[in-house]
């Protein structure tokens, strides 16, 4: 067949002209106009593109539902499937018949539980939850939380999302938690609530007769269940699986696109012939690797082959004859996980097996990527990719798994097979022993025997959905006590015949050999590691050392030394952190030793060998080293006040759902890239600097201009006005002569489609003459490379040097704070629409429409009144769209003005992160003077920020950092000196906290240092130095209504801090390897701008004759619910309900 047939939201789609390189997301958005599904990252990492796909399973006679990332799935892969998007499950438009139309309960719950803020990620979150409920009609709270492991939300904070999801759980205790009920209590009231509200009984809030509400997860879920039972809500009818697809018979596919041909064979014989005829072909299952290479590395694969309908590659079964589990190369990781969980839980294997290899696979799959990726990713792809940090490859290495390959024999065309141990498959970095024309058919995972112990480990920066730093799987086969004794006797005889052994060697041998009858002996061992070599690898020298040795602590200590010889990492090792990675290997080996010894003791005890079990016992303090992390179901509690005087006006003084929440959960809220393309609209991509510093010798756009669909290239020479953006005059829109960082804008390419523009931008040739670059804060300090005032910025009070000299004690140190990517879910984007008489309309995702207008007018050489900027909403901002967004709008405007056509610019995630800057990295150098009883007397601190190559907002950020170096502590003498370091990095910019968190971190590092020097708890030192009423800060603010002390005491009491400290200490005494800690740390954040004229705002209020109200204000909505708050303010001022205000 040469056409695709599938269903979308119950509607049949027949596509005769499919392009194999097109993703399902592109098809849904561009062909079908279903823009609810979003493009967030383009690599399956954020979940904004989540949809549900359903496929009929003939064995169970019912459809199987799974969530996938539409940004990765090729549209050709959904032939014969039913795709459901957020638009298909419900909308804000009610239906005429019962159970029809309106929002789905999933959508309603997320909206009503405050689970949507900016809303860009919300459709993906809705679909992840919806799919889980379709697949698991009786979900648990834990399974519901796991369903979101592939969905990122940058602004909501997950608690309301998870609370909404848990209302569908079957293990909820509907009775609720009476102590945490959402029961309001008047401040200062007596009885059960007496003493709870002391915080509000005096000070600035005294006299506010408010109601304090304590809202917790349990009560919210219980209340939701109670509300449903009262309503007697009928179950909503879901979109039925299409009858046509129940009898769908797959056909061989050959879809020829403009650049790529897609094959879908139905047999192994057909598949090997296709591969033999197309040696450069790529086999695609989940497209999790090939899709990313095509999108971000611009790799072109002329032939793609899908094996999803080849039976031999899609079966998983127990091969009793081989004592192994045979896993087809195309079997999804989710299928493997479910199959193995069923075997382990049901104990379906014979008693001679220990399930160890299956548990090792399950342990790795537990933290392997995300639900969406596991649903499509396959074991064959994981092996062939040969990632050095693969999670599964070490398991296959440690278990001595075997691979089976097939190819078409030369001449006859018959299938020939080849078997290969996994240990011989990895040849070099990303190079494997896969011969031309071969197809991986399966992997055979041996089952472990009772005498074998196996355990898999993974260490990453976070547990869920993250690549490993080091991963491993360790297996050992131990002889029983009786076998050990016989082996020890044989070993002793063998050693007796050896001559001239040194004393040292004999001593080592005695400590680690089989001479100790109390320790089992290592019969066989295999240690697989990832992240320690350019391929997944076994620690061969350590294995050889361990064989025949006693399995005890002395042996393990020597084995750790051998691991260093197996993995001699140094500072030049790719990936860095050589010592940490080597330490992780040692840690994994020791954990494995404890785990296996405990298992061995338990088996001996069960077999009646109480004496042997006793000999194998390890100190109880070792137990925590092998306890696997079990994340409890999350819960939260929030306390806030509401105003009872506004209760008669609906929505006033109450926590109101985001005004746009319902259209956001329905996928109806429009963002820039969701807008229907304007007439003759063009799309654009940026040409960026590829070096950190240098002169531009030549820019050649001929190659790009010759490509299909390209309409133009524009650079500095095409700007009619002034080639300048920002407030300080130090940044060009397009670099004209010199580039100052990787990612600096050089020009913009415009084409008929987004794909054409992105590809064409790669063909603009730029020649440079490189210059020396300053790349770090330390480099800048050495070169005295500063932005702004060259002598830095100074804030001081008293005489810090003199006070330091007379201080009873001093400490000094350094604190480094790294940068941080913004990762708003909606990347930087804008539309520039030229109008009549030189007018330009900008539709932008920006926090700063005013500066956008000014800069665009400046660049175009027109008066400011000819430019209009409109902002409906943003898919997140966090400061990243305060100033940096302006550059992209201006670039699109220059192109639009030149061509006289609308131009849209939407950055890919990698381009956004390369160009838009980060949170400022800081280095803080401090010296603190203090008394022996813990009173702070002096602070001398120097702050250095990595500002990037131009000012942007780096100076105000430094100011705020300096304002926060005292945190909430009164220090009589302070000198704070700040320097904004000019480096050849993209200009760093505003970010939540705006320099405040960096200043606070330096302050708290200093406080901790002082506490350690005095050997007192940190909270004691902090409480002793808190600001008090009437004191003055080092920037001259007199503190009135100072609530710091009361807030500290309230937090300490409510959190039961002292009890938690005692529990942590008790745990630490009982556990040698795992430790717990708890800290009480205050923070502050100064509100308002130091430029006082900015501390103002305006609004225009229209009141219409029907009583409705229209509010226009100067703020922008990026998820914080600003419009909702303004509606509440207007409704409260006018005395009407919020339903009358927009």
């Amino acid at each position: 067949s040469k056409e695709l047939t599938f269903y979308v939201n119950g509607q049949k789609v027949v596509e005769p002209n499919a392009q194999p390189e097109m993703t399902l997301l592109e098809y849904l958005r561009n062909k079908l106009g279903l823009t609810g599904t979003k493009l967030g990252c383009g690599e399956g990492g954020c979940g904004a593109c989540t949809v549900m796909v359903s496929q009929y399973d003939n064995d169970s006679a019912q459809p199987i539902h799974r969530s996938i990332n539409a940004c990765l799935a090729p549209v050709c892969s959904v032939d014969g499937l039913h795709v459901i998007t957020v638009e298909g499950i419900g909308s804000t438009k009610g239906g005429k018949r019962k159970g029809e139309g309106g929002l789905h309960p999933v959508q309603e719950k997320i909206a009503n539980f405050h689970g949507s803020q900016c809303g860009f990620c919300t459709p993906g979150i809705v679909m992840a939850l919806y799919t889980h409920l379709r697949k698991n009609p009786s979900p648990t709270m834990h399974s519901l939380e796991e369903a979101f492991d592939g969905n990122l939300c940058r602004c909501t904070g997950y608690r309301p999302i998870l609370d909404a999801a848990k209302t569908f759980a079957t293990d909820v205790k509907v009775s609720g938690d009476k102590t945490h009920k959402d029961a309001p209590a008047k401040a200062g009231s007596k009885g059960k609530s007496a003493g709870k509200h002391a915080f509000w009984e005096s000070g600035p809030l005294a006299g506010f007769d408010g109601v304090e509400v304590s809202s917790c997860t349990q009560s919210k879920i219980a209340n939701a269940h109670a509300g449903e039972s009262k309503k007697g809500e009928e179950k909503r009818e879901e979109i039925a699986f299409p009858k046509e697809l129940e009898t769908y018979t797959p056909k061989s596919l050959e879809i020829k696109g403009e650049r790529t041909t897609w094959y879908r064979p139905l047999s192994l014989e057909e598949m090997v012939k296709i591969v033999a005829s197309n040696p450069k072909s790529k086999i695609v299952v989940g497209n999790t690797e090939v899709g990313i290479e095509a999108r971000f590395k611009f790799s072109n694969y002329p032939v793609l082959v899908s094996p999803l309908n080849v039976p031999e590659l899609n079966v998983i079964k127990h091969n009793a004859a081989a004592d192994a589990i045979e896993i087809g190369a195309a079997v999804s990781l989710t299928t493997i996980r479910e199959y193995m969980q069923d075997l382990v839980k049901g104990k379906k294997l014979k008693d001679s097996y220990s399930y160890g290899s299956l548990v090792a696979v399950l342990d790795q799959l537990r933290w392997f990527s995300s639900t969406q990726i596991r649903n499509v990713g396959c074991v064959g792809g994981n092996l062939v990719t040969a990632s050095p940090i693969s999670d599964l490859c070490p398991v296959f290495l440690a278990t001595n798994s075997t691979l089976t390959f097939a190819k078409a024999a030369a001449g006859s065309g018959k299938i020939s097979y080849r078997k290969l141990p996994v240990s011989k498959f990895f040849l070099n970095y990303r190079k494997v022993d896969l011969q031309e024309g071969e197809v991986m058919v399966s992997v055979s995972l041996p089952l472990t025997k009772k005498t074998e112990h196996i355990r898999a480990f993974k260490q990453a920066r976070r547990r869920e959905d993250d690549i490993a730093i080091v991963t491993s799987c360790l297996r050992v086969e131990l002889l029983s006590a009786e076998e050990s004794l016989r082996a020890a006797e044989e070993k002793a005889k063998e050693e007796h015949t050896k001559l001239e052994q040194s004393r040292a060697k004999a001593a080592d041998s005695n400590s680690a050999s089989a001479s100790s009858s109390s320790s089992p002996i290592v019969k066989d061992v295999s240690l697989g590691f990832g992240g320690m070599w350019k391929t997944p690898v076994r620690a061969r020298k350590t294995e050889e050392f361990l064989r025949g040795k006693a399995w005890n602590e002395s042996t393990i200590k020597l084995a750790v030394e051998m691991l260093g010889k197996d993995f001699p990492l140094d500072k030049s090792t790719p990936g860095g952190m050589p010592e940490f990675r080597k330490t992780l290997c040692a840690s994994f080996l020791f954990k494995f030793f404890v785990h296996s010894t405990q298992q061995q003791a338990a088996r001996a005890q069960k077999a009646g060998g109480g004496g042997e079990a006793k000999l194998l016992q390890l100190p109880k303090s070792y137990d925590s080293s092998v306890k696997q992390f079990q994340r409890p179901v999350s819960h939260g509690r929030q306390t806030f006040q509401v105003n009872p005087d506004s209760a008669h006006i609906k929505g006033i003084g109450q926590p109101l759902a985001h005004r746009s929440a319902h259209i956001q959960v329905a996928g109806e809220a429009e963002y820039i890239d969701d807008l229907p393309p304007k007439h003759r609209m063009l799309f654009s991509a940026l040409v960026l600097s590829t070096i950190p510093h240098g002169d531009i010798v030549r820019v050649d756009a001929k190659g790009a201009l010759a490509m299909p669909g390209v309409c133009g290239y524009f650079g500095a020479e095409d700007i009619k006005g002034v080639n300048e953006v920002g407030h300080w005059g130090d940044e060009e829109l397009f670099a004209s002569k010199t580039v100052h960082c990787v990612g600096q804008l050089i020009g913009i390419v415009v084409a008929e489609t987004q794909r054409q523009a992105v590809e064409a931008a790669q063909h603009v040739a730029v020649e440079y003459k490189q210059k020396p670059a300053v790349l770090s804060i330390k480099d800048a300090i050495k070169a005295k490379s500063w932005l702004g005032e060259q002598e830095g910025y100074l804030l001081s009070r008293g005489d810090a040097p003199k006070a330091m000299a007379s201080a009873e004690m001093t400490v000094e140190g350094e604190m480094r704070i790294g940068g941080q990517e913004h990762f708003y879910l909606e990347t930087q984007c804008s539309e520039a629409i030229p109008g009549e008489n030189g007018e330009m309309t900008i539709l932008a995702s920006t926090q700063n429409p005013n500066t956008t207008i000014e800069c665009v007018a400046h660049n175009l050489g027109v008066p400011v009144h000819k430019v209009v900027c409109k902002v409906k909403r943003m898919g997140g901002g966090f400061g990243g769209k305060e100033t940096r967004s302006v550059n992209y709008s201006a670039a699109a405007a220059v192109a639009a003005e030149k061509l006289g056509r609308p131009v849209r610019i939407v950055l890919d995630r990698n381009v956004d992160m390369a160009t838009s800057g980060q949170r400022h990295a800081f280095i803080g150098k401090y010296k603190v003077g203090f008394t022996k009883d813990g009173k702070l007397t002096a602070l001398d601190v120097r702050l250095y920020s990595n500002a990037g190559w131009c000012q942007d907002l780096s100076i105000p950020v430094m100011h705020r950092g300096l304002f926060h170096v005292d945190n909430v502590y009164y220090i009589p003498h302070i000198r704070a000196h700040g320097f904004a370091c000019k480096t050849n990095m993209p200009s760093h910019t505003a970010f939540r906290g705006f320099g405040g968190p960096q200043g606070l971190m330096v302050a708290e590092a200093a406080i901790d240092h002082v506490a350690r020097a005095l050997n007192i708890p940190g909270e004691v030192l902090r409480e002793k130095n808190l600001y008090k009423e009437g004191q003055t800060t080092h920037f001259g603010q007199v503190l009135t209504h100072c609530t710091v002390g009361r807030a500290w005491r309230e937090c300490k009491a409510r959190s039961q801090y002292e009890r938690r400290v005692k529990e942590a200490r008790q745990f630490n005494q009982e556990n040698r390897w795992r430790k717990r800690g708890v800290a009480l740390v205050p923070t502050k954040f100064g509100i308002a701008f130091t430029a006082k004229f900015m501390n103002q705002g305006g609004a225009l209020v229209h009141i219409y004759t029907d009583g409705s109200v229209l509010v226009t204000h100067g703020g922008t909505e990026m998820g914080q619910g600003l419009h909702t708050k303004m509606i509440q303010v207007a409704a409260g001022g006018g005395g009407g309900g919020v339903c009358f205000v927009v």
Side-chain angles (χ1 to χ4, degrees):
S1 176
K2 300 185 182 299
E3 66 179 21
L4 302 178
T5 301
F6 57 100
Y7 278 72
V8 176
N9 297 331
Q11 301 298 312
K12 185 175 181 178
V13 177
V14 178
E15 178 53 67
N17 300 306
Q19 296 297 320
E21 64 268 31
M22 179 178 276
T23 65
L24 175 61
L25 179 65
E26 290 172 313
Y27 192 89
L28 292 172
R29 291 177 61 84
N30 301 335
K31 287 270 190 174
L32 302 183
L34 297 172
T35 56
T37 309
K38 309 299 183 192
L39 174 63
C41 66
E43 55 185 71
C46 71
C49 63
T50 302
V51 297
M52 185 177 90
V53 295
S54 305
Q55 182 174 19
Y56 196 74
D57 179 53
N58 290 316
D59 293 335
S60 61
Q62 61 184 9
I64 295 174
H65 309 294
R66 55 199 169 103
S67 56
I68 67 166
N69 295 115
C71 72
L72 289 178
V75 67
C76 293
S77 69
V78 299
D79 181 69
L81 307 184
H82 185 200
V83 180
I84 295 184
T85 72
V86 68
E87 294 95 339
I89 69 171
S91 74
T92 57
K93 306 168 183 67
K96 294 178 181 178
R97 294 191 304 236
K98 209 172 195 180
E100 191 182 82
L103 291 176
H104 190 277
V106 165
Q107 296 168 316
E108 282 187 336
K109 291 285 178 61
I110 289 177
N112 295 336
F113 272 60
H114 309 276
S116 180
Q117 287 192 12
C118 84
F120 198 83
C121 66
T122 304
I125 286 170
V126 166
M127 290 312 299
L129 176 55
Y130 175 81
T131 307
H132 186 74
L133 296 176
R134 291 292 302 271
K135 186 177 180 179
N136 304 280
S138 301
T140 64
M141 289 194 286
H142 192 272
S143 75
L144 285 161
E145 289 199 347
E146 280 196 335
F148 294 110
D149 63 2
N151 292 81
L152 295 181
C153 178
R154 190 65 178 83
C155 35
T156 307
Y158 296 102
R159 185 173 76 92
I161 297 170
L162 298 178
D163 285 353
K166 288 170 194 168
T167 62
F168 297 97
T170 55
D171 57 347
V172 173
K173 294 178 181 177
V174 182
S175 59
D177 183 344
K178 293 179 182 178
T179 61
H180 292 168
K181 268 287 190 188
D182 288 351
K186 186 176 282 191
S189 63
K190 304 296 181 185
K192 289 183 179 180
S193 301
K196 275 185 71 179
H197 315 290
F199 186 89
W200 311 106
E201 291 173 0
S202 59
L205 295 176
F208 170 61
D209 192 19
V211 171
E212 185 175 295
V213 174
S214 182
S215 171
C216 75
T217 295
Q218 184 68 20
S219 60
K220 286 167 71 178
I221 296 170
N223 290 344
H225 275 270
E228 285 169 10
S229 58
K230 282 179 185 177
K231 284 192 297 182
E233 190 175 281
E234 289 188 18
K235 190 172 181 180
R236 180 191 178 95
E237 280 188 31
E238 307 292 356
I239 297 179
F241 187 79
K243 287 290 184 184
E244 181 184 347
L245 296 183
E246 291 183 11
T247 56
Y248 169 81
T249 302
K251 299 176 183 176
S252 296
L253 286 181
E254 182 182 359
I255 308 292
K256 290 191 175 181
E258 294 174 4
R259 296 182 302 181
T260 303
T261 300
W262 175 278
Y263 289 99
R264 185 183 67 187
L266 300 183
S267 68
L268 182 59
E269 184 177 6
E270 184 184 359
M271 183 174 178
V272 295
K273 285 180 180 178
I274 292 170
V275 173
S277 303
N278 300 276
K280 302 277 187 183
S281 61
K282 277 279 186 178
I283 297 174
V284 175
V285 177
N287 204 37
T288 55
E289 184 76 13
V290 172
I292 292 172
E293 289 176 352
R295 183 178 186 86
F296 297 111
K297 297 180 182 178
F298 302 98
S299 302
N300 182 32
Y301 301 110
V303 176
L304 299 175
V305 183
S306 170
L308 289 173
N309 289 85
V310 176
E312 292 89 338
L313 273 72
N314 289 278
V315 65
I316 180 170
K317 63 182 181 181
H318 173 210
N319 185 339
D323 287 338
I325 301 296
E326 298 289 341
I327 308 170
V331 173
S332 74
L333 301 177
T334 294
T335 302
I336 294 171
R337 190 183 189 195
E338 292 171 350
Y339 177 83
M340 291 187 177
Q341 282 176 335
D342 184 53
L343 286 181
V344 172
K345 288 179 181 177
K347 296 191 179 298
K348 295 184 177 180
L349 300 176
K350 58 186 181 182
D351 290 341
S352 58
Y353 298 131
S354 71
Y355 296 93
S357 57
L358 306 188
V359 172
V361 171
L362 290 173
D363 283 346
Q364 294 299 69
L365 289 179
R366 182 186 182 200
W367 307 118
F368 191 111
S369 195
S370 65
T371 298
Q372 291 92 325
I373 295 295
R374 291 193 299 270
N375 282 341
V376 296
C378 67
V379 67
N382 193 262
L383 282 158
V384 173
T385 300
S387 169
I389 49 175
S390 164
D391 293 351
L392 287 179
C393 290
V395 178
F396 296 131
L397 284 170
T399 55
N400 297 309
S401 298
T402 305
L403 304 175
T404 300
F405 304 92
K407 67 184 297 186
S412 66
K414 291 183 178 179
I415 300 176
S416 63
Y417 294 93
R418 177 173 72 104
K419 291 187 180 294
L420 183 74
V422 171
S423 58
K424 295 183 179 180
F425 184 57
F426 307 111
L427 304 178
N428 209 325
Y429 178 71
R430 302 278 183 167
K431 301 288 183 185
V432 294
D433 184 4
L434 186 64
Q435 298 173 6
E436 187 173 295
E438 267 191 338
V439 171
M440 183 187 290
V441 177
S442 65
V443 56
S444 178
L445 175 73
L447 295 167
T448 44
K449 295 173 286 189
K450 291 286 188 182
T451 54
E452 290 180 283
H453 305 272
I454 186 168
R455 184 79 179 270
F457 300 91
K458 175 181 178 178
Q459 183 63 52
R461 288 170 178 81
R462 64 180 185 187
R463 283 192 172 87
E464 292 173 321
D465 198 8
D466 198 7
I467 58 174
I469 299 169
V470 175
T471 181
S472 73
C473 183
L474 313 178
R475 181 190 66 86
V476 65
E477 184 176 0
L478 300 176
L479 298 177
S480 66
E482 190 177 321
E483 291 173 319
S484 296
L485 187 59
R486 284 200 302 268
E489 291 171 353
E490 291 172 9
K491 182 77 172 176
K493 290 177 185 177
E494 184 183 319
E495 289 185 351
H496 186 68
T497 62
K498 293 180 181 177
L499 302 174
E500 297 184 11
Q501 292 181 333
S502 68
R503 289 178 178 271
K505 186 175 180 181
D508 281 348
S509 178
N510 288 336
S511 67
S513 72
S515 60
S516 173
S517 61
S518 64
S519 301
I521 295 173
V522 177
K523 181 179 180 182
D524 189 30
V525 61
S526 49
L527 312 174
F529 287 90
M532 298 304 295
W533 190 241
K534 52 192 174 184
T535 68
V537 65
R538 280 173 57 173
R540 296 287 187 179
K541 292 176 182 176
T542 308
E543 291 176 2
E544 187 59 35
F545 168 78
L546 285 170
R547 288 190 184 97
K549 298 289 195 305
W551 189 244
N552 57 31
E553 209 164 340
S554 299
T555 304
I556 295 301
K557 287 178 181 177
L558 295 171
V560 166
E561 295 177 17
M562 293 302 297
L563 279 173
K565 296 178 181 179
D566 272 311
F567 307 125
L569 307 187
D570 57 32
K571 291 181 180 178
S572 64
T573 301
M577 301 186 292
E579 292 304 318
F580 178 56
R581 286 153 69 183
K582 287 192 281 189
T583 302
L584 284 175
C585 290
S587 170
F588 291 161
L589 181 58
F590 182 79
K591 287 180 179 180
F592 178 58
F593 161 70
V594 176
H595 164 75
S596 57
T597 302
Q598 288 182 345
Q599 272 196 338
Q600 191 81 353
R603 289 174 188 174
Q605 185 74 39
K606 190 175 180 181
E612 182 185 352
K614 193 171 183 180
L615 289 171
L616 289 169
Q617 273 189 348
L618 295 170
K620 190 168 178 57
S621 61
Y622 284 19
D623 287 358
S624 65
S625 67
V626 294
K627 286 181 181 175
Q628 287 189 307
F629 176 75
Q630 298 293 335
R631 182 176 58 77
V633 173
S634 67
H635 66 279
R637 185 178 178 187
Q638 182 182 16
T639 301
F640 54 92
Q641 282 200 323
V642 298
N643 188 349
D645 294 338
S646 302
H648 65 286
I649 306 175
K650 188 176 180 181
I652 305 303
Q654 306 290 328
L656 193 66
H658 196 294
R659 194 65 164 174
S660 298
H662 289 91
I663 60 172
Q664 287 170 186
V665 296
E668 296 168 9
E670 289 187 325
Y671 301 81
I672 297 298
D673 200 32
D674 299 336
L675 300 173
K678 310 295 183 294
H679 179 58
R680 301 178 70 232
M681 174 166 274
L682 298 172
F683 299 84
S684 60
L686 299 171
V687 177
L688 307 173
S689 167
T690 57
I691 66 168
H693 193 202
D695 292 328
I696 297 174
V697 176
R698 182 176 62 91
V699 178
D700 184 359
K702 291 177 185 174
L705 294 171
M707 295 177 71
V710 176
C711 300
Y713 165 81
F714 307 100
E717 64 280 3
D718 297 297
I719 296 175
K720 280 187 176 180
V722 181
N723 184 20
E724 189 180 285
V725 285
H727 293 293
W728 316 111
D730 64 341
E731 182 178 7
E732 291 183 316
L733 173 58
F734 296 130
S736 57
K737 296 178 180 178
T738 304
V739 292
H740 300 276
C741 70
V742 173
Q744 186 175 350
L745 277 61
I746 295 175
I748 186 169
V749 173
V750 182
E752 296 288 346
T753 69
Q754 178 76 14
R755 184 183 289 269
Q756 288 171 341
V758 170
E759 291 181 354
Q762 302 303 309
H763 288 78
V764 176
V766 184
E767 186 181 334
Y768 309 94
K769 182 180 179 182
Q770 293 210 43
K771 292 181 174 181
V774 176
L775 299 175
S776 68
I777 293 176
K778 287 200 168 184
D779 290 345
I781 295 172
K782 188 176 180 180
K784 293 187 176 179
S785 175
W786 319 122
L787 287 170
E789 300 294 339
Q790 294 302 295
E791 65 273 14
Y793 299 88
L794 181 66
L795 268 180
S796 64
R797 176 180 59 197
D799 191 337
K802 184 178 179 181
M804 199 73 70
S806 62
E808 293 179 12
M809 297 179 70
T810 63
V811 295
E812 55 185 307
E814 181 176 299
M815 179 66 176
R816 302 181 186 185
I817 302 107
Q820 182 186 0
E821 297 288 353
H822 287 91
F823 209 86
Y824 25 70
L825 266 290
E826 178 197 34
T827 61
Q828 301 274 7
C829 52
S830 182
E831 266 186 24
I833 308 164
E836 56 192 31
N837 297 321
E839 295 172 355
M840 185 69 66
T841 300
I842 305 294
L843 307 180
S845 180
T846 180
Q847 296 171 244
N848 196 340
N850 185 63
T851 301
T852 300
I853 291 168
E854 292 175 349
C855 286
V856 168
H858 208 39
N859 299 144
L860 298 182
V862 299
V864 174
H865 76 269
K866 284 190 176 282
V867 181
V868 174
C869 181
K870 297 180 181 180
V871 183
K872 180 70 173 179
R873 62 174 59 86
M874 285 168 272
F878 320 112
K881 295 176 181 177
E882 174 68 22
T883 56
R884 305 315 298 167
S885 60
V886 173
N887 300 41
Y888 312 111
S889 293
V894 168
E897 189 273 335
K898 279 286 181 182
L899 296 170
R901 296 173 66 177
V903 172
R904 179 179 292 180
I905 183 168
V906 179
L907 300 192
D908 280 334
R909 179 63 61 185
N910 60 326
V911 175
D912 187 294
M913 295 174 84
T915 62
S916 61
Q918 306 177 0
R919 182 190 294 278
H920 290 72
F922 266 60
I923 290 180
K925 299 184 178 185
Y926 61 83
K927 186 174 182 179
V928 190
F930 51 97
T931 65
K932 291 179 181 177
D933 64 352
K935 291 295 286 186
L936 304 176
T937 58
L939 172 66
D940 196 347
V941 63
R942 292 171 78 88
L943 298 182
Y944 300 92
S945 69
N946 189 334
W949 77 271
C950 61
Q951 279 199 46
D952 192 71
L953 295 171
S954 295
I955 306 307
V957 166
M958 175 53 71
H959 288 166
R960 191 167 285 268
L962 294 171
F963 294 151
H964 286 72
V965 293
D966 61 334
N967 197 358
V968 295
Y969 310 115
Y970 178 72
I971 307 170
H973 302 277
I974 294 182
R975 181 173 65 179
H977 209 168
F979 296 86
C981 299
K982 182 178 181 179
T983 62
N984 294 111
M985 302 286 285
S987 183
H988 299 311
T989 188
F991 201 119
R992 274 183 169 174
F994 204 76
Q998 293 95 314
L1000 294 173
M1001 284 293 289
V1002 175
E1004 289 305 322
I1007 289 290
D1008 273 345
H1009 199 160
V1010 172
R1012 289 195 302 272
L1014 291 170
N1015 195 27
I1016 62 174
E1019 65 272 15
V1020 173
L1021 179 68
R1022 289 179 171 92
E1023 188 165 357
K1024 188 172 284 191
N1025 290 279
L1026 294 174
Y1027 272 123
K1028 294 180 175 61
E1029 183 77 15
Q1031 289 179 332
T1032 304
T1033 68
H1034 67 296
F1035 46 88
Q1037 180 179 349
V1038 178
L1039 298 176
T1040 58
H1041 307 308
C1042 180
T1043 60
V1044 173
R1046 293 204 306 278
W1048 174 273
R1049 292 188 294 274
E1050 182 86 3
C1051 182
K1052 193 173 181 181
R1054 288 194 178 193
S1055 66
Q1056 299 181 323
Y1057 179 73
E1058 298 294 348
R1059 175 185 62 79
R1060 292 169 184 261
V1061 169
K1062 288 178 183 177
E1063 290 174 354
R1065 286 174 181 163
Q1066 180 68 27
F1067 180 89
N1068 294 340
Q1069 287 175 359
E1070 295 172 356
N1071 296 277
R1072 181 176 178 183
W1073 303 109
R1074 182 172 294 185
K1075 302 297 180 184
R1076 288 178 179 169
V1078 59
L1080 187 61
V1081 181
T1083 62
K1084 71 170 182 180
F1085 187 73
I1087 60 171
F1089 295 96
T1090 50
K1092 293 182 180 179
F1093 70 89
M1094 295 180 70
N1095 296 315
Q1096 59 181 319
L1100 176 63
V1101 180
H1102 290 88
I1103 302 175
Y1104 294 92
T1105 53
D1106 63 352
S1108 61
V1109 178
L1110 173 64
V1111 178
T1112 306
H1113 61 87
T1116 55
E1117 173 61 59
M1118 55 180 169
Q1120 80 280 45
L1122 181 62
H1123 294 336
T1124 308
K1125 295 177 178 71
M1126 294 302 99
I1127 287 170
Q1128 288 179 292
V1129 168
V1138 294
C1139 58
F1140 293 101
V1141 186
V1142 294

